[in-house]
Amino acid sequence: MTQPDNRPFAIRTYAPDQLREALKRMYLIRRFEEGAEDSYMRGLIHGTMHLSIGQEASAMASCMELTDDDKITSTHRGHGHCIAKGAEVGRMFAEFFGKETGYCHGRGGSMHIADVKTGNLGANGIVGGGLPIAVGAALSAKRLGKSDVTICFFGDGANNEGAFHEALNMASVWKLPVVFICENNGYGMSTSIARSTSVKHIADRAVAYSMPGVTVDGNDFSAVAEAVHHAVARARAGEGPSLVENLTYRWRGHSKSDRNRYRTKEEIEEWMTRDPIARFRAELIAHGVLDEASADAIEAAAIADMEAGIEFAKASPAPSISDVTRYVYAEN
Amino acid sequence: MTQPDNRPFAIRTYAPDQLREALKRMYLIRRFEEGAEDSYMRGLIHGTMHLSIGQEASAMASCMELTDDDKITSTHRGHGHCIAKGAEVGRMFAEFFGKETGYCHGRGGSMHIADVKTGNLGANGIVGGGLPIAVGAALSAKRLGKSDVTICFFGDGANNEGAFHEALNMASVWKLPVVFICENNGYGMSTSIARSTSVKHIADRAVAYSMPGVTVDGNDFSAVAEAVHHAVARARAGEGPSLVENLTYRWRGHSKSDRNRYRTKEEIEEWMTRDPIARFRAELIAHGVLDEASADAIEAAAIADMEAGIEFAKASPAPSISDVTRYVYAEN
Amino acid sequence: MNAMTDKPSSQPQNLRTLSYSEAIREAMAIAMEADPTVILMGEDIGVYGGAFQVTLDLVDRFGTDRVMDTPISELGGAGVAVGAALTGLKPIFEFQFSDFAMLAMEQIVNQAAKLRYMLGGEASVPVVFRLPAGSGTGAAAQHSQSIEAWFGHVPGLKVLQPATPEDAKGMLLAALADPDPVMIFEHKLLYKMKGHVPEGSYLTPVGKALVRREGTDVTIVAGSIMLHRALEAAEQLTKDGINAEVIDLRCIRPIDHETILASVRKTGKLMVVYEGVKAFGVGAEISAMVAESDAFDFLDAPILRLGAADAPVPYNPDLERASVPQVDSIEAAARRLTRREV
Amino acid sequence: MNAMTDKPSSQPQNLRTLSYSEAIREAMAIAMEADPTVILMGEDIGVYGGAFQVTLDLVDRFGTDRVMDTPISELGGAGVAVGAALTGLKPIFEFQFSDFAMLAMEQIVNQAAKLRYMLGGEASVPVVFRLPAGSGTGAAAQHSQSIEAWFGHVPGLKVLQPATPEDAKGMLLAALADPDPVMIFEHKLLYKMKGHVPEGSYLTPVGKALVRREGTDVTIVAGSIMLHRALEAAEQLTKDGINAEVIDLRCIRPIDHETILASVRKTGKLMVVYEGVKAFGVGAEISAMVAESDAFDFLDAPILRLGAADAPVPYNPDLERASVPQVDSIEAAARRLTRREV
Ligand SMILES: Cc1ncc(C[n+]2csc(CCOP(=O)(O)OP(=O)(O)O)c2C)c(N)n1
Ligand SMILES: Cc1ncc(C[n+]2csc(CCOP(=O)(O)OP(=O)(O)O)c2C)c(N)n1
Ligand SMILES: [Mg+2]
Ligand SMILES: [Mg+2]
């Protein structure tokens, strides 16, 4: 008789290379957000941005089993998803800097960042906007006879949009291969779940769509990976959609205009002790996937990528003003 | 020790006069619908109409405890609600005939029939359109310190609109005095619940809004009255909203354009054996509230009212064409 | 249907006539036969055949996987169509009434229309929205609107309004061949009108208006059902020796400037007839387009707009009729304009 | 803020200045003090103070019962406001960005705008929608739109766009005094602009445009932020001896025909500047209104429209700036028009 494998799900499921790559991408998300913030402070980026620092495990662990043919739809807080799904930070920075080399050729910026080639159908400036779109992508996969799944990221705030209801209902009725991942960071802008939402956990709403719903610690890489693994498997097997709720927290304000009058310093600090990257790193080390030195090297590599990305972006050309109406319609 | 009262809820709760009036109004609904249908066939009414024959218990039993200060919002299938809430059939026919004496002065017709004075905020041409409006009416009651409740009628089809989700969530979060009554007649136009809705019973969705949800036989007057009684009491007591689902059936097609290709003759006939009016009448007779002769008299009175209503409508003046833009804005 | 409307067909003489709704249905069937990625979505478009019976029997031919009854969820349904279009399908999404598109403005305008641009050309949303529009059915304020002008204001969309069965078919096929989102406003009162429809596949050019009746005294631009009313009015006007040129607008976005300007340069007088509310309607754009062009100098009278009364569509049939342009009001207005009594 | 904008105030000389957002906030506070049925609804309007901090601190003064943070549910939220307005409250509903009103078109257009009419005058919907609009903040295509023209097309609504702090306050108070639904489009870039604001309660008349600068050579109609750009351009134009009359449109529905027509009769030249997409925008309606009026005969040049490029609002700041009218483009256009080089 073999011993039961008591190691965390991720450790026993993914190859060490995959795990190291996941850690790298989580560092990359963190450093990318910091680089973006810094660039914003220095006036290199205009507009606003929504940073996902603190939510890296949710983004990365949700994408572990996706190929470039699988799709995601993302949100206004979408940098992490984009990196987790495989985008290059150079082209992402270029987009933030409004450059022609950016993923959207400088037309989209932070809120519309997408990388269709790696299956990222895009961030969305409209809360809830991606929900029906994800269902549509799943419909395509089903009708075209592909085994692709779509992962739909959305926030706790988004779950009160009518689009949430309509999307989950249709996905369920048509048994589509889509996984709804609610990144519940406790607030939609300044409004807490308790003040906006008539259930304690978003996953409690899954019964209204006859789909499995599960709430996990969103800062625990392995917990997220395991929940999403089952949901993705279910989707690929043609058994329909699932709802996974990742409980997490954003360390920064909602956006650059946030004066943080709705949550306490204590609450923020408490959550910072639950840093998903530090936890994952420690877990990998504890299970012998890494040692401290190689973990440091991974972190350093992420920093180097980030810095190279910023340089690439800075050096890139801006779009020509005469092209302001380019890309409105297909060119023929 | 007193004997437990085993009579049906309505019998033991309402005075005989109230019960007789309820039967009268149910007959009035039935005859009104038939009169409308007949007028339509004879070309007296244009447009379309959605008849509620077969659903009379749901409308009437839901309104038993409402005063003119309480509000309802209604649907495209709203004639029954309008009569149950206290409207006069003469002014209703006048509206269908497009006359100046109609409830909407001939501007609204069947789909917008309303009687604000008796608390009917109106039928609605938009499926789901009344749901948030009802929540708003309940908000007014709460803010203005009144004990009024609002009853929001909607169909099984409407429950897949985003408006349903948003409205129920807000009503729950704000603990508003509103009762959501789903008249589940099995179909939204041609689309059955099974093909459109990811739960078996609409009331199953109540948990997603942390409110009580109950499914009752919508053709059983007493069952509906009892469920709504508790929901109204809860609302008046400031304990928040409830969802009541009345299982019922429309005997006629969805509207005048329905060719009935989505349900069988057998199904329709089977439901016709569960006539809510005949059942209620029999129940009243069984419990000595009425005898056959007085029941017949009530029915005859309803027919007389209906006929007088049609005559009133026919004799009424049409709006003047020069008034086509009247009522767009308040007159000052 | 006025015989004149068949004139512009360059197809070989063919007596086959179909109704407007049959023509649309034929276009859908042709497209679905030819391209397995074309699907239909909408409320009650399956066994019911759609509220206006346009998709009748298609579910029997193509099955429920390709003729999908959606729940009553316009925002979500349109969004599913957008997402499907983004990833390899070509959905034709039917709104049961164009009024209900108001529930889906977000997906139409914020998503479908903008995705290609926001993604810097890296995405394509080949979705077609079909929208039964207009008044005249006694369905009152929430089921009778003509809101097409709104979409003229939205870069990224194309907006069509066929007036004839031939165009109804050709425009739908053209919309499906288009890589960008297209909205087609169909008029409910036209569904039963019959006219010549060529067999097989053909594309009505997007963005081209058409002179349906040549004339010299006044240019009347009208689309959809108003074309037929304008043509009828034009016939009446000949009794007074007024020879109106009638242009079928066909496409609201983009608008065919050239055809309209050429006509105005010839007639010196312009009148625009449309069913939407007069203010901020299709007529405003056309009038403004002419008034800022070099054709301005050819105008010898004010530009007249004939649109709906400034009111929701009323239920009472006489009020309803009075609220939108009719043959007699078009005729009277053209008479006033040619006599410069405006 | 251009000093000229204060000129039209007939209030006694008073040096008090407020920002546009402070003026709006003051109007809300005055109304809430005076009338307990006035409530505020919107996303994050409580402790957060609203995305643009317009409602800052009002929740401390009036409590969460009257300053209600709504869930992120624009359709439902707007509908609750409509229902509340129908039954005795006077809600001021803030959309966080005007773009999100697309989610609530159903409640705004099918319900709020039409209820009085559909119910034959038996109902009143005194709701006020506040909508931060416009580009210039780097927020890209879904957060920068100017969709006010759509609502100009909707009978039953009133549509305002204040350009100054004084009007921002007076229009909000006027909207609250109005028994019908009113939409107020506020420009994000104006929130911080300062200007004279009278104390106490006063109502800016709804439906009245205002000549902000008198001139003889060309009429420039502009509203909201475009007024300020137009005034600045007008100053520049004086260097070439061009004396522009600048009209603050103020109200998109109803449009003040008289003020505009009187000016056009005087100058003979008209230019309309607006931030929405050029096609089917505010300029189309104004141009068409003039072209069909008796002022047509006073026009000695085409009517020029200056609106946004035919594209979604781009993210890149230079593209963004290039996509809407700026002082220099207004100036250049006015020059072309007065020289008849159009
Ligand atoms: C339809 C819509 N409403 C409102 C907003 C403004 N807004 C942007 S993000 C946000 C909060 C979203 O909360 P949540 O879904 O929990 O995501 P989080 O920001 O917490 O990641 C709001 C209100 C928007 N962008 N779109
Ligand atoms: C927003 C909207 N979508 C679609 C319709 C067309 N329509 C009118 S009634 C109806 C079916 C409604 O079903 P349900 O809510 O179950 O009510 P029932 O007709 O069964 O009483 C539909 C699809 C509409 N009026 N409004
Ligand atoms: Mg959140
Ligand atoms: Mg039903």
Side-chain angles (χ1 to χ4, degrees), chain D residues 107-120:
Chain D
Q107 285 290 336
I108 301 170
V109 179
N110 282 331
Q111 313 291 345
K114 295 181 171 54
L115 269 161
R116 178 185 296 279
Y117 192 81
M118 294 188 303
L119 270 54

Side-chain angles (χ1 to χ4, degrees), chain D:
Chain D
M1 174 155 296
N2 194 304
M4 311 230 62
T5 58
D6 290 339
K7 206 188 53 175
S9 164
S10 57
Q11 308 292 321
Q13 198 57 33
N14 182 331
L15 292 180
R16 191 180 77 131
T17 61
L18 293 180
S19 72
Y20 188 87
S21 58
E22 285 163 349
I24 297 166
R25 192 180 315 135
E26 183 167 281
M28 291 191 276
I30 289 173
M32 292 177 83
E33 290 286 1
D35 181 351
T37 67
V38 175
I39 61 164
L40 311 186
M41 297 179 64
E43 291 159 18
D44 306 290
I45 63 168
V47 285
Y48 199 97
F52 298 98
Q53 311 286 287
V54 178
T55 54
L56 204 66
D57 299 331
L58 289 175
V59 70
D60 301 328
R61 258 175 90 179
F62 297 101
T64 51
D65 273 4
R66 294 184 68 196
V67 181
M68 296 174 67
D69 277 338
T70 60
I72 313 180
S73 307
E74 286 79 7
L75 175 62
V80 170
V82 170
L86 204 53
T87 52
L89 294 179
K90 288 203 188 118
I92 305 177
F93 185 90
E94 174 182 299
F95 285 101
Q96 207 161 78
F97 286 72
S98 68
D99 314 67
F100 311 155
M102 285 189 213
L103 284 156
M105 294 303 282
E106 198 297 273
Q107 285 290 336
I108 301 170
V109 179
N110 282 331
Q111 313 291 345
K114 295 181 171 54
L115 269 161
R116 178 185 296 279
Y117 192 81
M118 294 188 303
L119 270 54
E122 304 285 343
S124 187
V125 187
V127 62
V128 179
F129 294 109
R130 294 184 37 244
L131 307 101
S135 65
T137 65
Q142 294 173 332
H143 283 73
S144 305
Q145 292 168 85
S146 297
I147 55 171
E148 48 279 355
W150 280 355
F151 302 96
H153 197 42
V154 181
L157 299 179
K158 290 175 180 154
V159 185
L160 310 179
Q161 49 170 1
T164 67
E166 177 173 350
D167 275 6
K169 177 178 169 184
M171 285 187 187
L172 185 48
L173 289 168
L176 281 166
D178 199 296
D180 289 312
V182 180
M183 316 207 45
I184 308 184
F185 286 87
E186 301 163 359
H187 202 288
K188 293 161 217 166
L189 297 185
L190 292 179
Y191 280 130
K192 295 201 172 137
M193 290 188 96
K194 288 190 175 286
H196 165 62
V197 176
E199 314 250 6
S201 187
Y202 61 94
L203 309 186
T204 300
V206 171
K208 288 274 166 261
L210 198 60
V211 177
R212 293 277 186 186
R213 182 189 199 285
E214 289 189 8
T216 48
D217 300 333
V218 55
T219 298
I220 305 180
V221 176
S224 191
I225 196 165
M226 290 299 156
L227 170 69
H228 303 287
R229 296 192 186 153
L231 286 168
E232 219 177 304
E235 283 311 309
Q236 300 294 325
L237 289 165
T238 58
K239 292 182 198 154
D240 286 10
I242 300 170
N243 193 2
E245 176 141 313
V246 180
I247 296 179
D248 181 0
L249 182 59
R250 285 168 133 196
C251 189
I252 287 173
R253 168 168 275 271
I255 283 181
D256 179 354
H257 290 196
E258 273 326 304
T259 301
I260 296 171
L261 293 178
S263 178
V264 170
R265 282 188 211 104
K266 180 170 73 174
T267 65
K269 292 190 181 62
L270 173 63
M271 193 170 125
V272 193
V273 185
Y274 50 108
E275 186 166 348
V277 166
K278 181 180 170 188
F280 289 87
V282 172
E285 177 58 26
I286 293 173
S287 170
M289 180 272 286
V290 172
E292 80 188 338
S293 74
D294 61 5
F296 170 81
D297 288 320
F298 294 79
L299 284 171
D300 55 30
I303 302 171
L304 216 67
R305 292 179 291 165
L306 228 60
D310 208 51
V313 175
Y315 168 70
N316 172 289
D318 295 326
L319 291 186
E320 183 184 21
R321 194 180 176 285
S323 76
V324 299
Q326 303 291 345
V327 175
D328 48 1
S329 56
I330 299 171
E331 194 194 326
R335 234 181 267 279
R336 283 202 313 278
L337 182 61
T338 48
R339 295 192 194 130
R340 280 235 50 191
E341 293 168 4
V342 281

Side-chain angles (χ1 to χ4, degrees), chain A residues 281-301:
Chain A
R281 174 185 166 127
E283 194 166 275
L284 292 184
I285 291 172
H287 290 94
V289 179
L290 284 176
D291 58 20
E292 287 289 348
S294 52
D296 286 347
I298 285 174
E299 183 171 7

